[in-house]
Amino acid sequence: MVVTVLLLLQASASPGQRPGVSTLSVEHIAFDSQTFDPLVMRGIAEGVYPGAALVVGRRDTVLFARAYGHLTWRSKSPAVSINDTFWDLASLTKVVATVPSLMLLVEEGKVGLDTPVVRYISEFNGPGTAAITVRHLLTHTSGLRGTLPLRDAPDSATALRMVFATTPVVAPGSRMVYSDLNAILLGEIVQRVSGQPLDVFVTREVYTPLGLDQQMMFRPPKRLAPRIAPTGLWHGHPVAGIVNDPNAARLGGVAGHAGLFATARALGRYAQFTLGEGSAPGGPRILKRETVHQFTQVAVAARRGAGARTLGWEALPTGEEVSSAGTLLGPRSYGHTGWTGTSLWIDPDRDLFILLLTNRAFDPRSRRSFTKLHEIRGRVADAAARAADASH
C-alpha cells in the first residue's frame, strides 16, 4: 500500500493537485488517498452531490481528511473545506446533539431509561402513551408513526402539541419503526429536565468543553451563510443556513431530530470523543465510559427486515439492501445517516470512524441519488476498513 502524507492546505488546491480536492494536515497515515478519491469523486461526476468532505480517524488521530468539489454545481462556487464548510446534519442531529444530552441526564440520575415519557411531558397522555418509556424513544420501539405534517402548523407551539397528541400505531416495544417523533420528544425531555433548550444545553455541556461551540450550532448566524453547503433551491437560488427538514424549521430550527450544523473538522473530533468513550484528545472527560458503553451496545436486535439499534444509534446489521456501513465493519459498529447526505460510522473494534458529509439534498443531477449515495458510503466504509487492517 502506498503511504500518503496529506499536507496542510487551506481552501484551494496545491499545484499539481486534482482540481476540486483540498486536504487537511494529518500525520502517520497508512492510507492511500488514491483509494478514496475515486470513490468520493464518482458521486460528483455522477451528479449525486456537488461537494463532499471525508474524514477517517482513530480516537487519538486523524488518518485521512479531504474535501472535494464545491458548495454548488457552479465551478466558481466556493470549494468545500474541512475546516470552514458547515453542513446541515439532518438526522445526525439525533446522535450528535440529542443522544449525548440524554446520556448526561441519565448519568446524573435526572432521566430514567425505563421511566414513562409522560412523567417528563405531562401532555403526552393519549391512549397507549402511558406504556412508552424513554428507552422506547431511543430505540425507535415506541410504536409511534414515522412523522407528522408539522409544517402545516401555524406556529411551533401548535406543532409541539401535535407531537404530544400523537398515539402509538403499534404496541410499544413490539417492533422497531424509525420515527422522528421519538427524537422530538427526547429533545423536549432534555429541555424540561435541564431547564434549558436542547441547543443551549448541549453546547454548554458538550460542544464548549470539546472546543467546538463555534463549529457545531443550531440556527447558524447569517454571516456564516457563504460557508454553509446549501441543501435546497428557492426560485433557482441556493438555500443555505436554514434547516432543510420542514418539521424542524416549524419547530424553530431547534429540534431533537434535526437542525444541527457543523464542520467536518468538528464532527471528526466528536467522533473521537465517542470512540474515546466520553473524552477527546486533550479534552476533559465529559461522560463515564460505562455510559458510553450502555448507549452504544445493541439494545434491539435486527428482525423482520428492520435494522438493529443501540440507545440512539443504528447498529449492525442495518437491514438495508445496500448498507451505508458497507460489508466489513465489525459487529459492534454503530452509526447514523442524514437525509441531506451526511453519515458517520464508528467501529470500536478497529478504533476507527468514517465520516462522509455531502449535500446530496441540493439539486441532485442523477436519478436514484439517494441509492447511489448509499453505495458510495458503503464502498468508502469498506475501503477504510481495509486500510485500517493493512496499517496494523
Side-chain angles (χ1 to χ4, degrees):
M1 171 171 289
V2 177
V3 178
T4 302
V5 178
L6 304 181
L7 301 177
L8 178 63
L9 297 178
Q10 298 301 324
S12 60
S14 61
Q17 183 184 345
R18 180 186 304 185
V21 180
S22 63
T23 57
L24 175 72
S25 176
V26 291
E27 299 178 344
H28 310 302
I29 298 178
F31 279 58
D32 184 356
S33 65
Q34 294 181 8
T35 299
F36 292 108
D37 290 359
L39 298 177
V40 182
M41 290 297 290
R42 178 178 177 180
I44 296 175
E46 293 186 357
V48 179
Y49 44 77
L54 173 63
V55 182
V56 182
R58 304 193 190 281
R59 70 184 65 192
D60 60 355
T61 188
V62 172
L63 299 169
F64 185 93
R66 184 162 285 198
Y68 303 83
H70 299 264
L71 300 190
T72 74
W73 295 108
R74 293 178 62 251
S75 60
K76 293 184 179 179
S77 171
V80 173
S81 165
I82 293 288
N83 286 321
D84 297 327
T85 300
F86 280 80
W87 306 85
D88 180 339
L89 300 187
S91 285
L92 273 188
T93 301
K94 296 178 173 77
V95 294
V96 178
T98 309
V99 168
S101 297
L102 262 297
M103 292 168 82
L104 283 164
L105 294 174
V106 168
E107 188 174 281
E108 294 170 359
K110 297 178 179 178
V111 171
L113 290 173
D114 296 309
T115 301
V117 175
V118 69
R119 187 82 59 84
Y120 305 108
I121 305 174
S122 59
E123 303 96 314
F124 187 62
N125 58 3
T129 59
I132 299 176
T133 66
V134 173
R135 187 185 301 274
H136 288 140
L137 298 183
L138 284 164
T139 56
H140 293 281
T141 56
S142 65
L144 299 178
R145 67 193 74 239
T147 188
L148 287 169
L150 305 184
R151 70 173 81 185
D152 298 335
D155 51 47
S156 60
T158 304
L160 264 182
R161 286 196 294 270
M162 290 172 63
V163 177
F164 298 157
T166 192
T167 57
V169 295
V170 297
S174 62
R175 63 176 180 169
M176 198 284 285
V177 178
Y178 184 79
S179 172
D180 284 347
L181 305 183
N182 294 321
I184 293 171
L185 288 166
L186 289 170
E188 184 67 12
I189 289 174
V190 171
Q191 174 161 334
R192 297 199 179 193
V193 172
S194 72
Q196 297 178 316
L198 174 63
D199 59 330
V200 176
F201 181 79
V202 74
T203 298
R204 187 191 72 184
E205 301 294 334
V206 181
Y207 304 156
T208 297
L210 289 174
L212 302 177
D213 53 301
Q214 298 302 306
Q215 294 193 59
M216 299 181 72
M217 63 185 72
F218 290 83
R219 295 186 293 208
K222 289 184 178 180
R223 61 179 172 78
L224 292 179
R227 296 166 50 190
I228 300 173
T231 53
L233 286 168
W234 178 255
H235 297 305
H237 299 287
V239 177
I242 300 173
V243 60
N244 180 262
D245 184 280
N247 285 349
R250 176 51 66 203
L251 291 169
V254 177
H257 72 296
L260 186 64
F261 290 75
T263 65
R265 175 183 177 274
L267 275 177
R269 183 161 172 80
Y270 181 86
Q272 290 180 321
F273 156 73
T274 305
L275 262 180
E277 301 173 328
S279 66
R285 173 156 295 281
I286 298 172
L287 287 164
K288 297 177 182 177
R289 290 185 174 88
E290 301 79 41
T291 306
V292 178
H293 290 165
Q294 181 182 25
F295 274 73
T296 56
Q297 64 183 343
V298 172
V300 176
R303 51 184 172 177
R304 296 196 298 273
R309 307 292 308 192
T310 77
L311 294 178
W313 296 82
E314 196 173 354
L316 297 180
T318 63
E320 302 166 306
E321 185 175 343
V322 178
S323 176
S324 62
T327 61
L328 300 178
L329 294 186
R332 296 196 303 133
S333 298
Y334 53 92
H336 216 285
T337 62
W339 173 256
T340 51
T342 57
S343 64
L344 171 62
W345 275 94
I346 295 172
D347 184 341
D349 295 322
R350 285 188 174 89
D351 184 25
L352 182 73
F353 72 85
I354 305 107
L355 172 68
L356 179 62
L357 303 176
T358 78
N359 56 337
R360 180 212 63 86
F362 172 76
D363 190 24
R365 304 202 167 182
S366 69
R367 298 180 62 184
R368 302 187 309 113
S369 65
F370 201 71
T371 299
K372 290 181 179 178
L373 177 57
H374 257 56
E375 294 171 351
I376 292 167
R377 286 169 172 165
R379 289 171 182 152
V380 168
D382 284 347
R386 291 190 187 99
D389 292 345
S391 68
H392 287 297

